[in-house]
Amino acid sequence: MHDALRLDAVGQAAAIRTGELSPRELAEAAIAAIEARDGELNAVIFPRFERALAELERLPREAPFAGVPILLKDLGWRQAGEPYAAGSAVRDGVEDAGDGYGVTRLREAGFVILGRTNTPEFGSTITTEPAAFGPTRNPYDPAYSAGGSSGGSAAAVAAGMVALATASDGGGSIRIPASLCGLVGLKPSRGRVSLGPALGEGWSGFSCPGFVTRTVRDTAAALDVVAGLHAGDPYDAPALPGPLAAEAGRDPGRLRVGYLTAHPRAGVPEAREPAEAVAAAAALLESLGHDVTPGGPEALADPDFPGHFGAIVAENLAATVDGLGELRGKPVGPEELEPRNAAMVAAARDRTAAQHLRSTQWTDAFRRRMAAWWSAGHDLLLMPSLGVAPFPLGWIPADDLTLALGRTAHAVAFTSPVNATGQPAISLPLHRTAAGLPVGVQLVAAYGREDLLVRVAAQIERARPFTHDAMG
Protein backbone atom coordinates (compact mmCIF):
# COMPACT_ATOMS: atom_id res chain seq x y z
CA MET A 1 0.00 0.00 0.00
CA HIS A 2 1.22 3.50 -0.83
CA ASP A 3 2.28 5.23 2.39
CA ALA A 4 0.08 8.24 1.59
CA LEU A 5 -3.04 6.06 1.90
CA ARG A 6 -2.17 5.41 5.55
CA LEU A 7 -2.61 9.12 6.26
CA ASP A 8 -6.02 10.39 7.22
CA ALA A 9 -7.69 12.98 4.99
CA VAL A 10 -6.40 15.91 7.04
CA GLY A 11 -2.90 14.47 6.76
CA GLN A 12 -3.24 13.91 3.02
CA ALA A 13 -4.40 17.48 2.50
CA ALA A 14 -1.43 18.79 4.49
CA ALA A 15 1.01 16.68 2.45
CA ILE A 16 -0.44 18.09 -0.77
CA ARG A 17 -0.19 21.66 0.50
CA THR A 18 3.48 21.25 1.41
CA GLY A 19 4.31 19.61 -1.91
CA GLU A 20 5.26 16.25 -0.37
CA LEU A 21 2.48 14.68 -2.40
CA SER A 22 0.72 15.61 -5.61
CA PRO A 23 -3.02 15.21 -6.17
CA ARG A 24 -2.35 12.93 -9.13
CA GLU A 25 0.00 10.71 -7.14
CA LEU A 26 -2.57 10.36 -4.37
CA ALA A 27 -5.49 9.75 -6.74
CA GLU A 28 -3.56 7.12 -8.66
CA ALA A 29 -2.56 5.40 -5.40
CA ALA A 30 -6.18 5.30 -4.28
CA ILE A 31 -7.31 3.96 -7.65
CA ALA A 32 -4.65 1.26 -7.48
CA ALA A 33 -5.81 0.30 -3.99
CA ILE A 34 -9.41 0.04 -5.17
CA GLU A 35 -8.42 -2.08 -8.14
CA ALA A 36 -6.29 -4.33 -5.93
CA ARG A 37 -8.84 -4.96 -3.18
CA ASP A 38 -12.32 -4.35 -4.51
CA GLY A 39 -12.56 -7.60 -6.42
CA GLU A 40 -12.73 -9.32 -3.06
CA LEU A 41 -14.71 -6.73 -1.13
CA ASN A 42 -17.20 -5.33 -3.69
CA ALA A 43 -17.33 -1.92 -2.04
CA VAL A 44 -17.15 0.34 -5.12
CA ILE A 45 -19.94 -0.33 -7.60
CA PHE A 46 -19.63 2.73 -9.87
CA PRO A 47 -15.99 3.77 -10.36
CA ARG A 48 -15.28 7.02 -12.22
CA PHE A 49 -11.50 6.94 -12.32
CA GLU A 50 -10.86 8.54 -15.70
CA ARG A 51 -13.27 11.40 -15.03
CA ALA A 52 -11.74 11.95 -11.60
CA LEU A 53 -8.22 12.15 -13.02
CA ALA A 54 -9.39 14.60 -15.67
CA GLU A 55 -10.91 16.79 -12.97
CA LEU A 56 -7.56 17.16 -11.20
CA GLU A 57 -6.72 19.99 -13.58
CA ARG A 58 -9.69 21.97 -12.31
CA LEU A 59 -9.18 21.56 -8.57
CA PRO A 60 -9.77 24.61 -6.39
CA ARG A 61 -6.14 24.70 -5.27
CA GLU A 62 -6.70 26.80 -2.14
CA ALA A 63 -9.54 24.59 -0.89
CA PRO A 64 -8.99 22.76 2.42
CA PHE A 65 -9.05 19.25 0.92
CA ALA A 66 -7.71 19.99 -2.57
CA GLY A 67 -6.68 16.67 -4.11
CA VAL A 68 -7.95 14.32 -1.39
CA PRO A 69 -9.81 11.27 -2.80
CA ILE A 70 -13.27 10.39 -1.54
CA LEU A 71 -16.02 7.90 -2.36
CA LEU A 72 -19.76 8.64 -2.27
CA LYS A 73 -22.39 6.31 -0.87
CA ASP A 74 -24.82 5.35 -3.63
CA LEU A 75 -27.81 6.47 -1.56
CA GLY A 76 -28.37 10.19 -1.33
CA TRP A 77 -25.21 12.10 -2.20
CA ARG A 78 -26.41 12.53 -5.80
CA GLN A 79 -23.83 13.62 -8.37
CA ALA A 80 -24.83 15.13 -11.69
CA GLY A 81 -24.18 12.92 -14.70
CA GLU A 82 -23.31 9.84 -12.65
CA PRO A 83 -25.18 6.57 -12.14
CA TYR A 84 -27.44 6.41 -9.12
CA ALA A 85 -29.05 3.10 -8.14
CA ALA A 86 -29.77 3.34 -4.39
CA GLY A 87 -28.97 -0.37 -4.25
CA SER A 88 -31.82 -1.34 -6.57
CA ALA A 89 -32.16 -2.64 -10.10
CA VAL A 90 -35.46 -0.76 -10.28
CA ARG A 91 -33.52 2.47 -10.80
CA ASP A 92 -31.67 1.19 -13.88
CA GLY A 93 -31.76 3.93 -16.50
CA VAL A 94 -33.59 6.42 -14.28
CA GLU A 95 -31.76 9.74 -14.30
CA ASP A 96 -31.48 12.34 -11.55
CA ALA A 97 -30.47 15.89 -12.42
CA GLY A 98 -27.97 17.95 -10.49
CA ASP A 99 -25.59 17.58 -7.57
CA GLY A 100 -26.88 17.37 -4.05
CA TYR A 101 -25.86 20.28 -1.85
CA GLY A 102 -23.45 18.05 0.04
CA VAL A 103 -21.70 16.95 -3.15
CA THR A 104 -21.40 20.57 -4.28
CA ARG A 105 -19.69 21.44 -1.00
CA LEU A 106 -17.36 18.46 -1.27
CA ARG A 107 -16.31 19.61 -4.73
CA GLU A 108 -15.80 23.16 -3.49
CA ALA A 109 -13.61 21.79 -0.70
CA GLY A 110 -11.39 20.12 -3.30
CA PHE A 111 -12.27 16.47 -2.78
CA VAL A 112 -11.67 14.18 -5.76
CA ILE A 113 -14.65 11.86 -6.21
CA LEU A 114 -13.49 8.41 -7.34
CA GLY A 115 -16.84 6.61 -7.45
CA ARG A 116 -19.90 5.36 -5.60
CA THR A 117 -20.16 2.66 -2.96
CA ASN A 118 -22.48 -0.28 -2.46
CA THR A 119 -25.61 -0.07 -0.29
CA PRO A 120 -28.62 -2.33 0.39
CA GLU A 121 -31.73 -1.69 -1.69
CA PHE A 122 -33.05 1.75 -0.63
CA GLY A 123 -30.93 1.53 2.53
CA SER A 124 -33.59 -0.38 4.42
CA THR A 125 -31.45 -2.92 6.29
CA ILE A 126 -28.25 -3.24 8.31
CA THR A 127 -26.20 -5.38 5.92
CA THR A 128 -25.02 -4.50 2.43
CA GLU A 129 -26.13 -7.50 0.36
CA PRO A 130 -28.30 -6.07 -2.43
CA ALA A 131 -29.57 -8.48 -5.05
CA ALA A 132 -28.68 -5.96 -7.75
CA PHE A 133 -24.99 -5.60 -6.88
CA GLY A 134 -24.03 -8.48 -4.59
CA PRO A 135 -22.63 -8.40 -1.06
CA THR A 136 -19.97 -6.10 0.28
CA ARG A 137 -17.48 -8.06 2.38
CA ASN A 138 -15.83 -6.97 5.61
CA PRO A 139 -12.08 -6.30 5.19
CA TYR A 140 -11.43 -7.89 8.60
CA ASP A 141 -13.00 -11.16 7.47
CA PRO A 142 -14.59 -11.47 4.01
CA ALA A 143 -17.10 -13.99 5.32
CA TYR A 144 -18.60 -11.26 7.51
CA SER A 145 -20.87 -8.33 6.80
CA ALA A 146 -19.52 -4.79 6.54
CA GLY A 147 -22.87 -3.59 7.88
CA GLY A 148 -25.40 -1.33 6.28
CA SER A 149 -26.61 0.72 4.86
CA SER A 150 -23.24 2.48 4.47
CA GLY A 151 -21.42 -0.84 4.17
CA GLY A 152 -19.65 -0.14 0.90
CA SER A 153 -18.28 3.14 2.22
CA ALA A 154 -17.14 1.55 5.48
CA ALA A 155 -15.43 -1.39 3.77
CA ALA A 156 -13.58 0.94 1.39
CA VAL A 157 -12.28 3.16 4.20
CA ALA A 158 -11.35 0.24 6.46
CA ALA A 159 -9.46 -1.42 3.61
CA GLY A 160 -7.42 1.74 2.97
CA MET A 161 -8.85 2.58 -0.45
CA VAL A 162 -9.66 6.14 0.68
CA ALA A 163 -9.32 7.96 3.99
CA LEU A 164 -13.02 8.78 4.20
CA ALA A 165 -16.30 8.22 2.41
CA THR A 166 -19.78 9.67 2.63
CA ALA A 167 -22.52 7.83 4.48
CA SER A 168 -26.01 8.34 5.89
CA ASP A 169 -27.89 7.11 8.93
CA GLY A 170 -31.64 6.50 9.22
CA GLY A 171 -31.61 3.80 11.90
CA GLY A 172 -27.92 3.21 12.54
CA SER A 173 -26.52 3.16 9.00
CA ILE A 174 -23.38 5.18 9.84
CA ARG A 175 -22.75 3.80 13.32
CA ILE A 176 -23.36 0.12 12.53
CA PRO A 177 -20.93 -0.14 9.57
CA ALA A 178 -18.43 1.95 11.54
CA SER A 179 -18.70 -0.54 14.39
CA LEU A 180 -18.30 -3.59 12.16
CA CYS A 181 -15.40 -2.12 10.17
CA GLY A 182 -13.47 -0.48 13.01
CA LEU A 183 -14.12 3.15 12.05
CA VAL A 184 -15.31 6.46 13.45
CA GLY A 185 -18.91 7.17 12.48
CA LEU A 186 -20.82 10.25 13.64
CA LYS A 187 -24.53 10.66 12.99
CA PRO A 188 -25.06 14.42 13.12
CA SER A 189 -27.95 16.26 14.72
CA ARG A 190 -31.10 16.48 12.64
CA GLY A 191 -30.80 19.47 10.34
CA ARG A 192 -27.02 19.80 10.64
CA VAL A 193 -26.47 18.68 7.03
CA SER A 194 -28.94 19.53 4.29
CA LEU A 195 -30.57 16.80 2.22
CA GLY A 196 -31.41 19.28 -0.52
CA PRO A 197 -32.29 20.02 -3.11
CA ALA A 198 -33.93 16.62 -3.66
CA LEU A 199 -35.34 16.32 -0.13
CA GLY A 200 -36.17 18.43 2.88
CA GLU A 201 -35.89 15.48 5.24
CA GLY A 202 -35.19 11.77 4.98
CA TRP A 203 -37.43 9.16 6.58
CA SER A 204 -39.51 11.86 8.30
CA GLY A 205 -36.38 13.34 9.87
CA PHE A 206 -34.77 10.07 10.97
CA SER A 207 -32.05 10.06 8.29
CA CYS A 208 -28.94 12.28 8.36
CA PRO A 209 -25.95 12.48 5.98
CA GLY A 210 -22.44 12.03 7.37
CA PHE A 211 -19.14 10.19 6.92
CA VAL A 212 -17.16 7.14 7.91
CA THR A 213 -13.52 7.86 8.70
CA ARG A 214 -10.49 6.46 10.51
CA THR A 215 -9.89 9.46 12.80
CA VAL A 216 -11.98 11.83 14.87
CA ARG A 217 -10.37 14.88 13.28
CA ASP A 218 -11.38 13.69 9.80
CA THR A 219 -14.98 13.27 10.92
CA ALA A 220 -14.99 16.76 12.41
CA ALA A 221 -13.31 18.45 9.45
CA ALA A 222 -15.52 16.70 6.89
CA LEU A 223 -18.69 17.70 8.72
CA ASP A 224 -17.45 21.29 8.77
CA VAL A 225 -17.37 21.15 4.96
CA VAL A 226 -20.97 20.01 4.45
CA ALA A 227 -22.80 21.40 7.49
CA GLY A 228 -25.08 24.39 7.22
CA LEU A 229 -28.56 25.55 6.38
CA HIS A 230 -29.70 26.00 2.78
CA ALA A 231 -32.64 28.17 1.81
CA GLY A 232 -35.83 26.16 2.01
CA ASP A 233 -34.56 23.52 4.45
CA PRO A 234 -37.32 22.58 6.92
CA TYR A 235 -35.18 23.03 10.03
CA ASP A 236 -31.68 23.89 11.21
CA ALA A 237 -29.60 22.40 14.00
CA PRO A 238 -28.46 24.70 16.82
CA ALA A 239 -25.36 26.73 16.01
CA LEU A 240 -22.06 25.20 17.10
CA PRO A 241 -19.55 27.32 19.04
CA GLY A 242 -17.15 27.17 16.10
CA PRO A 243 -15.65 24.71 13.60
CA LEU A 244 -15.87 21.12 14.77
CA ALA A 245 -12.26 20.56 13.70
CA ALA A 246 -11.19 22.97 16.46
CA GLU A 247 -13.06 20.92 19.06
CA ALA A 248 -10.83 17.87 18.55
CA GLY A 249 -8.09 19.40 20.69
CA ARG A 250 -10.23 20.86 23.46
CA ASP A 251 -10.64 19.43 26.94
CA PRO A 252 -14.23 18.18 27.33
CA GLY A 253 -14.11 18.83 31.07
CA ARG A 254 -15.57 16.47 33.65
CA LEU A 255 -18.67 14.90 32.15
CA ARG A 256 -21.61 13.00 33.62
CA VAL A 257 -21.92 9.79 31.60
CA GLY A 258 -24.60 7.14 31.89
CA TYR A 259 -24.08 3.75 30.32
CA LEU A 260 -26.09 0.72 29.25
CA THR A 261 -24.70 -2.73 28.47
CA ALA A 262 -28.17 -4.26 28.17
CA HIS A 263 -31.14 -2.65 26.48
CA PRO A 264 -33.87 -1.66 28.95
CA ARG A 265 -36.66 -2.81 26.64
CA ALA A 266 -37.91 -6.31 27.38
CA GLY A 267 -37.14 -8.88 24.73
CA VAL A 268 -33.83 -7.38 23.55
CA PRO A 269 -31.16 -9.95 24.47
CA GLU A 270 -27.80 -8.77 25.74
CA ALA A 271 -24.92 -9.56 23.36
CA ARG A 272 -21.67 -10.42 25.12
CA GLU A 273 -19.15 -8.62 22.89
CA PRO A 274 -21.04 -5.32 22.70
CA ALA A 275 -21.64 -5.45 26.47
CA GLU A 276 -17.95 -6.07 27.11
CA ALA A 277 -17.05 -3.19 24.79
CA VAL A 278 -19.29 -0.78 26.70
CA ALA A 279 -17.98 -1.93 30.08
CA ALA A 280 -14.39 -1.36 28.95
CA ALA A 281 -15.28 2.05 27.49
CA ALA A 282 -17.00 3.04 30.74
CA ALA A 283 -13.85 2.17 32.66
CA LEU A 284 -11.76 4.17 30.21
CA LEU A 285 -14.00 7.21 30.55
CA GLU A 286 -13.81 6.94 34.33
CA SER A 287 -10.02 6.78 34.15
CA LEU A 288 -10.10 9.99 32.12
CA GLY A 289 -11.83 11.77 34.99
CA HIS A 290 -15.50 11.53 34.02
CA ASP A 291 -18.36 10.59 36.34
CA VAL A 292 -19.65 7.31 34.93
CA THR A 293 -22.71 5.55 36.32
CA PRO A 294 -25.05 2.85 34.99
CA GLY A 295 -28.42 3.92 33.61
CA GLY A 296 -30.09 5.80 30.80
CA PRO A 297 -33.37 7.35 29.69
CA GLU A 298 -36.48 5.50 30.90
CA ALA A 299 -38.10 6.11 27.51
CA LEU A 300 -35.78 3.54 25.91
CA ALA A 301 -37.80 0.82 27.63
CA ASP A 302 -41.04 1.76 25.87
CA PRO A 303 -42.31 -1.37 24.05
CA ASP A 304 -44.25 0.73 21.53
CA PHE A 305 -41.17 2.34 20.00
CA PRO A 306 -40.27 -0.35 17.42
CA GLY A 307 -43.78 -0.41 15.98
CA HIS A 308 -44.00 3.34 15.45
CA PHE A 309 -40.44 3.62 14.15
CA GLY A 310 -40.86 0.69 11.75
CA ALA A 311 -44.19 2.01 10.44
CA ILE A 312 -42.72 5.43 9.66
CA VAL A 313 -39.76 3.87 7.85
CA ALA A 314 -42.04 1.59 5.82
CA GLU A 315 -44.28 4.51 4.85
CA ASN A 316 -41.29 6.51 3.69
CA LEU A 317 -40.09 3.54 1.66
CA ALA A 318 -43.52 3.29 0.03
CA ALA A 319 -43.34 6.99 -0.87
CA THR A 320 -39.87 6.46 -2.38
CA VAL A 321 -41.14 3.57 -4.48
CA ASP A 322 -44.17 5.56 -5.64
CA GLY A 323 -41.97 8.50 -6.58
CA LEU A 324 -39.63 6.25 -8.52
CA GLY A 325 -42.59 4.85 -10.43
CA GLU A 326 -43.68 8.36 -11.37
CA LEU A 327 -40.14 9.28 -12.40
CA ARG A 328 -39.78 6.31 -14.73
CA GLY A 329 -43.39 6.49 -15.96
CA LYS A 330 -44.43 3.03 -14.73
CA PRO A 331 -45.46 1.91 -11.23
CA VAL A 332 -43.01 -0.29 -9.35
CA GLY A 333 -44.49 -3.72 -8.78
CA PRO A 334 -43.74 -5.81 -5.67
CA GLU A 335 -41.99 -8.42 -7.81
CA GLU A 336 -39.39 -5.80 -8.73
CA LEU A 337 -38.40 -5.25 -5.11
CA GLU A 338 -36.41 -7.41 -2.76
CA PRO A 339 -38.80 -9.41 -0.52
CA ARG A 340 -38.02 -7.31 2.55
CA ASN A 341 -38.88 -4.08 0.80
CA ALA A 342 -41.94 -5.52 -0.92
CA ALA A 343 -43.27 -6.57 2.49
CA MET A 344 -42.54 -3.17 4.02
CA VAL A 345 -44.28 -1.36 1.18
CA ALA A 346 -47.30 -3.67 1.44
CA ALA A 347 -47.53 -3.04 5.19
CA ALA A 348 -47.33 0.71 4.61
CA ARG A 349 -50.19 0.58 2.11
CA ASP A 350 -52.41 -0.92 4.81
CA ARG A 351 -51.94 2.14 7.00
CA THR A 352 -53.90 5.37 6.74
CA ALA A 353 -52.54 8.90 6.64
CA ALA A 354 -54.06 9.46 10.06
CA GLN A 355 -52.18 6.47 11.45
CA HIS A 356 -48.94 7.83 10.02
CA LEU A 357 -49.55 11.17 11.72
CA ARG A 358 -50.34 9.43 14.99
CA SER A 359 -46.98 7.63 14.80
CA THR A 360 -45.16 10.90 14.15
CA GLN A 361 -46.97 12.48 17.10
CA TRP A 362 -46.04 9.52 19.29
CA THR A 363 -42.42 10.02 18.20
CA ASP A 364 -42.64 13.72 19.11
CA ALA A 365 -43.56 12.74 22.67
CA PHE A 366 -40.85 10.07 22.74
CA ARG A 367 -38.27 12.68 21.74
CA ARG A 368 -39.27 14.90 24.65
CA ARG A 369 -39.11 12.00 27.10
CA MET A 370 -35.65 11.10 25.88
CA ALA A 371 -34.42 14.70 26.01
CA ALA A 372 -35.47 14.97 29.65
CA TRP A 373 -32.63 12.66 30.68
CA TRP A 374 -30.03 15.06 29.27
CA SER A 375 -31.88 18.08 30.63
CA ALA A 376 -31.71 16.51 34.09
CA GLY A 377 -27.93 16.91 34.08
CA HIS A 378 -26.40 14.10 32.03
CA ASP A 379 -23.91 14.94 29.29
CA LEU A 380 -23.47 11.64 27.44
CA LEU A 381 -25.05 8.22 27.13
CA LEU A 382 -22.72 5.30 26.38
CA MET A 383 -24.27 2.25 24.68
CA PRO A 384 -23.37 -0.42 22.12
CA SER A 385 -23.26 0.77 18.51
CA LEU A 386 -24.78 -2.54 17.47
CA GLY A 387 -27.07 -4.69 19.57
CA VAL A 388 -25.63 -7.98 18.29
CA ALA A 389 -22.18 -9.45 17.78
CA PRO A 390 -20.45 -9.06 14.38
CA PHE A 391 -22.37 -11.29 12.00
CA PRO A 392 -21.58 -13.22 8.82
CA LEU A 393 -23.03 -12.52 5.41
CA GLY A 394 -26.43 -14.14 5.09
CA TRP A 395 -27.25 -13.74 8.79
CA ILE A 396 -30.05 -11.36 7.79
CA PRO A 397 -31.77 -13.80 5.41
CA ALA A 398 -33.52 -12.64 2.28
CA ASP A 399 -35.95 -15.58 2.29
CA ASP A 400 -37.11 -15.60 5.93
CA LEU A 401 -38.63 -12.21 6.67
CA THR A 402 -39.69 -13.04 10.22
CA LEU A 403 -36.17 -14.05 11.19
CA ALA A 404 -34.65 -11.12 9.28
CA LEU A 405 -36.89 -8.52 10.89
CA GLY A 406 -36.39 -9.97 14.36
CA ARG A 407 -32.62 -9.97 14.08
CA THR A 408 -32.65 -6.48 12.62
CA ALA A 409 -34.81 -5.17 15.45
CA HIS A 410 -32.33 -6.45 18.03
CA ALA A 411 -29.38 -5.05 16.07
CA VAL A 412 -30.77 -1.50 15.84
CA ALA A 413 -32.24 -1.35 19.34
CA PHE A 414 -29.52 1.07 20.51
CA THR A 415 -29.28 3.17 17.36
CA SER A 416 -32.79 3.74 15.98
CA PRO A 417 -34.10 5.66 19.04
CA VAL A 418 -31.38 8.27 18.43
CA ASN A 419 -32.60 8.68 14.85
CA ALA A 420 -36.10 9.27 16.19
CA THR A 421 -34.88 11.96 18.59
CA GLY A 422 -32.54 13.65 16.11
CA GLN A 423 -29.63 13.67 18.56
CA PRO A 424 -26.00 13.34 17.49
CA ALA A 425 -24.20 10.07 18.23
CA ILE A 426 -20.74 8.74 17.44
CA SER A 427 -19.42 5.18 17.15
CA LEU A 428 -15.80 4.64 18.16
CA PRO A 429 -13.68 1.53 17.41
CA LEU A 430 -12.60 0.52 20.91
CA HIS A 431 -13.01 -3.25 21.04
CA ARG A 432 -12.25 -6.46 19.16
CA THR A 433 -13.71 -9.94 19.46
CA ALA A 434 -11.45 -12.92 20.15
CA ALA A 435 -11.43 -13.46 16.37
CA GLY A 436 -10.22 -9.90 15.78
CA LEU A 437 -13.48 -8.42 14.47
CA PRO A 438 -14.16 -4.79 15.43
CA VAL A 439 -16.89 -3.85 17.90
CA GLY A 440 -17.78 -0.18 18.34
CA VAL A 441 -19.28 1.73 21.23
CA GLN A 442 -21.70 4.62 20.86
CA LEU A 443 -21.79 7.95 22.66
CA VAL A 444 -24.96 10.06 22.43
CA ALA A 445 -25.11 13.76 23.27
CA ALA A 446 -27.97 16.21 23.62
CA TYR A 447 -29.43 17.68 20.45
CA GLY A 448 -26.98 20.01 18.75
CA ARG A 449 -23.94 18.98 20.80
CA GLU A 450 -21.64 17.48 18.16
CA ASP A 451 -18.95 19.72 19.66
CA LEU A 452 -19.06 17.76 22.91
CA LEU A 453 -18.95 14.43 21.07
CA VAL A 454 -15.89 15.49 19.08
CA ARG A 455 -14.08 16.71 22.22
CA VAL A 456 -14.60 13.51 24.18
CA ALA A 457 -14.04 11.23 21.17
CA ALA A 458 -10.71 12.91 20.49
CA GLN A 459 -9.79 12.56 24.17
CA ILE A 460 -10.56 8.84 23.95
CA GLU A 461 -8.60 8.53 20.70
CA ARG A 462 -5.54 10.11 22.33
CA ALA A 463 -5.81 7.84 25.35
CA ARG A 464 -6.35 4.67 23.31
CA PRO A 465 -5.33 5.24 19.67
CA PHE A 466 -7.46 3.42 17.14
CA THR A 467 -5.87 0.65 15.09
CA HIS A 468 -6.75 -0.22 11.50
CA ASP A 469 -5.40 -3.66 10.78
CA ALA A 470 -7.48 -4.26 7.66
CA MET A 471 -5.53 -1.67 5.64
CA GLY A 472 -2.86 -4.26 4.84
Side-chain angles (χ1 to χ4, degrees):
M1 174 182 285
H2 195 292
D3 286 345
L5 296 179
R6 298 188 181 279
L7 299 172
D8 66 359
V10 172
Q12 290 173 353
I16 289 171
R17 282 195 298 273
T18 61
E20 300 171 50
L21 193 62
S22 74
R24 179 165 292 274
E25 180 185 4
L26 182 55
E28 289 177 345
I31 290 167
I34 295 170
E35 291 176 335
R37 298 215 57 186
D38 200 52
E40 176 188 36
L41 299 179
N42 190 34
V44 183
I45 55 171
F46 295 130
R48 59 182 309 273
F49 301 152
E50 291 184 7
R51 292 189 293 281
L53 292 173
E55 290 166 358
L56 292 176
E57 302 304 318
R58 303 189 296 276
L59 282 177
R61 296 294 178 178
E62 302 305 314
F65 288 98
V68 173
I70 193 170
L71 291 163
L72 305 181
K73 178 181 179 178
D74 192 40
L75 182 66
W77 299 100
R78 288 171 169 85
Q79 185 178 9
E82 298 295 333
Y84 180 76
S88 177
V90 178
R91 287 199 59 92
D92 186 34
V94 178
E95 295 292 332
D96 283 291
D99 285 352
Y101 291 149
V103 172
T104 297
R105 289 190 169 183
L106 291 175
R107 287 180 177 278
E108 291 171 348
F111 283 106
V112 179
I113 300 170
L114 296 183
R116 303 185 70 82
T117 60
N118 204 6
T119 187
E121 185 177 64
F122 303 122
S124 64
T125 189
I126 60 165
T127 185
T128 301
E129 303 178 51
F133 297 97
T136 292
R137 300 180 179 277
N138 193 314
Y140 284 87
D141 185 335
Y144 276 72
S145 173
S149 63
S150 307
S153 287
V157 174
M161 299 177 191
V162 289
L164 79 173
T166 70
S168 56
D169 193 316
S173 288
I174 290 174
R175 291 159 290 163
I176 289 170
S179 176
L180 291 171
C181 292
L183 301 175
V184 177
L186 194 160
K187 181 196 84 68
S189 295
R190 182 176 300 168
R192 182 70 67 201
V193 182
S194 176
L195 289 161
L199 296 173
E201 60 180 10
W203 283 9
S204 297
F206 295 169
S207 184
C208 302
F211 299 86
V212 284
T213 74
R214 294 194 293 266
T215 64
V216 174
R217 70 176 187 174
D218 269 8
T219 286
L223 278 172
D224 282 337
V225 167
V226 299
L229 183 72
H230 286 262
D233 284 347
Y235 33 61
D236 188 16
L240 293 166
L244 279 175
E247 303 293 344
R250 291 182 179 158
D251 185 349
R254 188 181 184 94
L255 303 176
R256 290 185 60 187
V257 184
Y259 72 94
L260 297 170
T261 57
H263 199 282
R265 191 171 67 238
V268 180
E270 180 174 289
R272 180 176 58 83
E273 288 91 347
E276 290 175 353
V278 168
L284 174 59
L285 285 165
E286 192 167 42
S287 75
L288 293 171
H290 302 296
D291 296 321
V292 183
T293 55
E298 292 181 3
L300 282 172
D302 197 313
D304 292 333
F305 174 80
H308 288 292
F309 183 87
I312 291 172
V313 171
E315 288 153 0
N316 276 269
L317 177 61
T320 295
V321 169
D322 286 351
L324 180 55
E326 292 176 6
L327 192 62
R328 73 174 189 175
K330 182 178 72 172
V332 177
E335 73 284 353
E336 298 181 83
L337 301 171
E338 294 181 22
R340 172 192 68 256
N341 287 331
M344 291 173 68
V345 169
R349 303 223 191 281
D350 286 339
R351 298 244 305 168
T352 66
Q355 287 174 311
H356 170 76
L357 289 173
R358 289 295 294 160
S359 284
T360 62
Q361 291 163 356
W362 187 96
T363 305
D364 291 339
F366 175 79
R367 182 169 61 249
R368 295 184 190 281
R369 287 189 287 147
M370 286 282 285
W373 186 81
W374 279 265
S375 298
H378 296 90
D379 297 299
L380 297 173
L381 176 62
L382 169 66
M383 305 187 289
S385 298
L386 178 65
V388 298
F391 53 88
L393 291 168
W395 186 75
I396 304 289
D399 56 355
D400 186 336
L401 294 181
T402 300
L403 181 60
L405 292 174
R407 287 178 170 176
T408 301
H410 293 158
V412 304
F414 294 95
T415 52
S416 57
V418 188
N419 293 89
T421 64
Q423 294 170 251
I426 192 168
S427 180
L428 300 175
L430 288 178
H431 190 73
R432 297 285 176 88
T433 68
L437 294 167
V439 176
V441 299
Q442 176 186 200
L443 288 164
V444 185
Y447 181 60
R449 293 306 308 273
E450 288 94 330
D451 58 322
L452 185 57
L453 286 181
V454 167
R455 284 180 213 160
V456 74
Q459 181 189 46
I460 289 169
E461 185 180 29
R462 289 191 297 271
R464 188 169 296 173
F466 308 145
T467 58
H468 303 288
D469 304 334
M471 291 176 64

